[in-house]
Amino acid sequence: MAEARRPMRRRGRMPGEKAKDFKGTIRNLLRYMGVYKIGLAAVAVFAVASTIFNVIGPKILGNATTELFGGLIAKLSGTGTIDFGKIGGILLTLMGIYVLCAIFSFVQGWIMTQMSQNMSFRMRRDISEKINRMPLAYFERNSVGDVLSRITNDVDTLGMAFNQSITQLITSVCTLVGVLVMMLSISPLMTLITLLILPVSMLLVMGIVKKSQKYFIAQQEYLGRIDGQIEETFSGHDVVKAFNRENVELEEFRKINGVLFESAWKSQFLSGLMQPIMNFVSNLGYVAVAVSGAMLAAAGTIEIGDIVAFVQYVKRFTQPITQMAQVSNLLQSMAAAAERIFAFLNEEEEIQATENPVDPAVIEGEVSFEHVQFGYNPDKIIIHDFNSEIRPGQMVAIVGPTGAGKTTMVKLLMRFYDVNSGCIRLNGHPVADFDRNALRNGFGMVLQDT
Amino acid sequence: MKNIFRFLAEAKGAVAVIVALLIIQAYCDLALPTYTSDLLNVGLQQNGIEDAVPETIREESLDTLEMFLADSDVQELEDTYSEADEDGIRTLKEIEKSDRQALDDLLALPESVVFQMQNSEDGLAMLAMTKAAVNLGLMSKETIQEQMQDKLSQMEGMTDSFLDQAAIGYVAAEYEAQGIDLNEIRNEYLFRVGMKMLAMALVMAIVAVMTGYIAARVSAGIGRNLRERLYTKVMNFTSAEIEQFSTASLITRCTNDIQQVQMLTVMLLRMVTYAPILAIAGVIKVIQTGSSMSWIIVVAVIALGICVAILFAVVYPKFKIMQQLVDRLNLVSRELLTGVMPIRAFGRQKYEEARFAKANTDLFETQLFTNRVMNFMMPVMMLIMNGVSVLIVWVGGHGVDTGNVQVGDLTAFITYSMVIIMGFLMLSAISIMLPRAGVAADRVEEVLETEISLTDASETRDQELDHIKGELAFSDVSFAYPGAQSPVLEHISFTAEPGKTTAIIGSTGCGKSTLVHLIPRFYDVTEGSITLDGIDIREISQKKLRDSIGYVPQKGILFSGTVESNLKYGGEQITDDDMEMAAKIAQATEFIESKSAGYQSDIAQNGSNVSGGQRQRLSIARAIAKHPQIFLFDDSFSALDYKTDAALRGALAEQIQNATVVIVAQRISTILHADQILVMEEGRIVGRGTHRELLENCQTYLEIARGQLSEEEIQSALKGGAVNG
């Protein structure tokens, strides 16, 4: 089949593909996931709990350090010793917290994986069942590749994005808030210094995104062109060979490939700048905190353990910000995939069963067409007022040029399509009164292409 | 997976540079925690005083210290400090780092002794007494040094670390006595270290940007080269290899798969390589510090390494299986979609749904498993990271107690472990992508490794074919598709002469298209031979052979561009006149000229913006335009209506009189006038002759004719009367 040759839509879509109706799609998605209400709630609870534990960890560790330092000073000045009993207690508590944190995080991931995989499974199943309920006309309008890519790529993208985005969204928001609270509780001044780096990093990130956009678009365009050429010349391989065009096509291919290379490395390079720059900004904050922390500690404003804790928080502070940027990308591609899936699932179906289906046993082979009118498109009627009476045992042949509607007649008879007006009867019963499957069982059909 | 490394090996130089850059980056990454620990240790605890060597010292203090030193050492000490100024203060001269180290070792002991003595009244008195005694010559240096050793042995549990601390305390006290503000020294020190840290951060950023630049170029370059190699390869493929992979699969390999490899290469170069470098550098670094906590980091790295190894061992094979399951699901879905009609006609929905459900469930279970294992990693790694920091504080705490470890080192070690573990976390996050890309790389390599089954002979006989007449002869040709058991064509012999039309007719699957495909050498014969003007076509170069052939495929395949670019597809020698003439013969002039842009009208990809019949006529015109000596029409008239079919053949016969024409057809009307008709059945020629002869003596032909022509037409043909068509 011609459609089968068309390649599937590109896997691993580039960032930037957006759903037309983001809100509506998300609403659809939420409705679809209604069955997982409890699961989602559990995921949220566990994610929040594990994040909180994770966030308070460094603070407690800082307390242990302070205790240690205090003990050391006391020892040096000969007024006491390091209280290892107390430090051991703190550390044991801390270890307990970390173990709990790991368990929570594990349980959360377990539920989440189960849910997202289950959703993918359900979606694939629903699509496959949907295929059997759709009118044939849909498949004549749409390529096999397109539907296929919904079953595989779109469901895959959705499952993966769903799994990651929900978890990341919860944990990054919690971490951000938690870290902020902890930092404030240690030192508002040092927190302020850390926060100063935020607008700087925002500006840098936005600048890079803007600049790289141009190359991303160019890359997409040339990818499209090269895909086009590949598809065309591979499909028409015989013709290319028969006309000795291999070298001409190759030359053309090289040209496009060269341009693609330029835009590909540039967009890759620019988007790759993000990480080192964010890292640098984060290090700026780190240095500022370390230096100012040491000064504050010298002045006796904060404890040495607080610096130890704070330094760790600063390292963790930029992480949720970059994560949230990723999440928004994930959400976009998730919505785009979900939109295509739901568009398919919400397509019109064949009306399945009639209220009181006629028993197909009545079919003896008497067929009558009465004023049948039909067009695949209501504007283009191809069968006008067709009348015929066929008795059991008769052999009837339908002849005509291509496109005259021969096959269409058969499709109407077997209810792959329904007539626009008029009626087809089997032994006096309109075909619409039969159950489709039962009806089709009454026919033997030899197809054009198998 | 190994294929990815093979692709990478092509850019060895760049990879080496990246590794070098990453080592620098790792060095800087790990230097930051060291500086932080300096901030706390030296800056905070020692007020920014780095060692026991004072920058300035009062004359009398120096004298006191000298009392505890051997004469040779005293001389050295005197030389390193300038003469006393008016305030009696001596300043340290510029000295080498190693000299300073020696001086530090020399001074630490006397300074800490003096510092201890200065801290108590007894000590002070004793110090004064000793001084007086020495000045008066009552006491020798040896005695004093003996006393110093005694004092040392009294201070039990006194380790090097405490000794250093005391010496630094001495320097601080000395500075204070000189009236120097200690805060200033400290702040200056903090600032200096801060600047160093910033410089490190900057170097890191620059190095990372450079890495990113090289990685982007290398990976895009690998993508470009692979794409070109694959494309070239496929262009040189014969139909046999195309069939082997299927067109759709080749397209996916050339687009998606290469894209995957390209993406992964960036990740490999930038992040995956960094994790082990960071781990190794980290281990070296902590071992260098000689701290008693080093083993913790080593253990952590080993634990993480084991985690990642287990992950790969468990998940990687499953990923391979998963790829097969995805393919399986694709296959079932495809059949579900392409077979919509038969499935419904035979009421097979339930069966098909069950088949899909099986594939779906298998995929679900495998994906669930791999995802769960991956999901297991994150908490485990976090737990290792957190456990390590707890362990560091506990073990380090005891080290602090015994004086082996300074508090600042704790922070440094915790940060080291965080940095290293983050590297591993990144590695395991990316490893999800590895198997997929590995499979993609394997699929690309599979194509690249395929041997092309049909090549030009090492010595061709092209020069004997200056003027091709076009006499085409099959002698006892048999053919089987590669890998197939039974032959598709058996013992075919016939000659197609220039200026004559040879038609081949037969039912679907009788091998007539295959026969035509042998002429331009889409395949080579299995047995027998095909000759052109008496020369075996296997001894003619593919280019020469194909230049002499005008091939019109079954489906009208066009290429995106314009009508003109399609009609001139045969080469640059085709003039506008040739093109227009060809269009006229192919009955395409009318619809081309009805388009506003005429010959410049756009043709979309696959020619999807023109109708099937138009596409077919353009593809016929394309073959005519190149003026070949041999025409091959592979059932090319089927999409045309009878009228166009007849008009086209009429025009063709008029215009091309010397060419050899081979027509494959299903419609008898198309071949009525052929000079020679071959009737094929199951790969054999079962009848040959003209229309009339065959009607008389070939049963198969007569059956086909009865299906398509009226009885009158057959009768009149038999009578030799005028035939319509």
Side-chain angles (χ1 to χ4, degrees), chain A residues 42-43 45-51 53-54 97-113 167 171, chain B residues 372 374-383 386:
Chain A
V43 163
V45 170
F46 281 115
V48 170
S50 101
T51 315
F53 282 157
N54 208 0
I97 284 179
Y98 281 147
V99 169
L100 271 184
C101 163
I103 291 171
F104 283 168
S105 151
F106 177 72
V107 170
Q108 183 266 119
W110 185 271
I111 302 174
M112 198 65 222
T113 309
T167 314
T171 52
Chain B
R372 279 196 173 146
M374 299 309 276
N375 166 55
F376 189 65
M377 288 317 284
M378 188 75 181
V380 167
M381 286 199 171
M382 292 295 279
L383 191 62
N386 291 328

Side-chain angles (χ1 to χ4, degrees), chain B residues 350-370:
Chain B
K350 282 281 161 277
Y351 172 78
E352 289 296 327
E353 269 169 27
R355 220 159 70 99
F356 183 89
K358 168 88 170 65
N360 196 6
T361 313
D362 288 348
L363 182 64
F364 164 73
E365 280 167 1
T366 315
Q367 272 184 344
L368 192 64
F369 176 79
T370 53

Side-chain angles (χ1 to χ4, degrees), chain A residues 42 186 383:
Chain A
I186 295 171
I383 293 174

